[in-house]
Amino acid sequence: MAVRRKLDRVGLKVSMEQWRGLSPSDRLAIWHLPSASREECDVLETFVGEAVERQSGSRPAALSAEQRAMADPPDKPPAEVVERARENGVGMGPYEWSRLDDDERYALVKLAGNSNAKEFFPAALKEIVGKRQP
């Protein structure tokens, strides 16, 4: 999920086929390259685009501005996350949301909003919220 978040932040959709075509060293570099500042994102975007094109012959697809924004989750829980959590017997109000770090928030937002990944939401919720309980 950390790499997926970075790719979302720089606005690239790397397909599973493209990802598998990358060398282990390219994957490791993507994981380790920073993406906090605009300059870092520009470098990462260039690196990923060139690596994917070199291996697969095509560049990764671009994400919309809305999809890019999901890389930095909001301060309040999105309605879709609240609803999915409720369906799984977990309250996800502002207090509970504030106790999660940005990676945990990102994972829940990503899984709650992705129709292909909704089946993974309950397990992620249990793992993330479960570790917060005494």
Side-chain angles (χ1 to χ4, degrees), residues 53-76:
E53 186 171 24
R54 185 174 54 254
Q55 295 298 326
S56 71
S58 61
R59 294 195 63 86
L63 296 176
S64 69
E66 181 181 291
Q67 291 170 310
R68 289 177 83 151
M70 282 188 2
D72 296 306
D75 292 334
K76 296 179 181 172

Side-chain angles (χ1 to χ4, degrees), residues 9-23:
R9 182 172 284 135
V10 301
L12 296 176
K13 170 64 174 149
V14 176
S15 71
M16 188 55 73
E17 183 179 332
Q18 289 171 324
W19 179 255
R20 288 182 180 142
L22 293 173
S23 69

Side-chain angles (χ1 to χ4, degrees), residues 86-100:
R86 187 191 60 73
E87 290 170 0
N88 286 277
V90 175
M92 185 57 67
Y95 172 74
E96 292 81 10
W97 189 251
S98 73
R99 296 183 66 203
L100 305 179

Side-chain angles (χ1 to χ4, degrees), residues 46-57:
T46 298
F47 177 81
V48 171
E50 289 176 358
V52 168
E53 186 171 24
R54 185 174 54 254
Q55 295 298 326
S56 71

Side-chain angles (χ1 to χ4, degrees), residues 114-126:
N114 184 336
S115 60
N116 295 326
K118 283 184 182 175
E119 66 192 64
F120 300 110
F121 184 87
L125 182 67
K126 182 177 180 182

Side-chain angles (χ1 to χ4, degrees), residues 1-9 30-31 35 103 106:
M1 282 302 249
V3 169
R4 179 72 256 156
R5 185 173 181 210
K6 285 183 176 194
L7 293 174
D8 282 359
R9 182 172 284 135
I30 293 167
W31 184 51
S35 63
D103 287 335
Y106 170 79

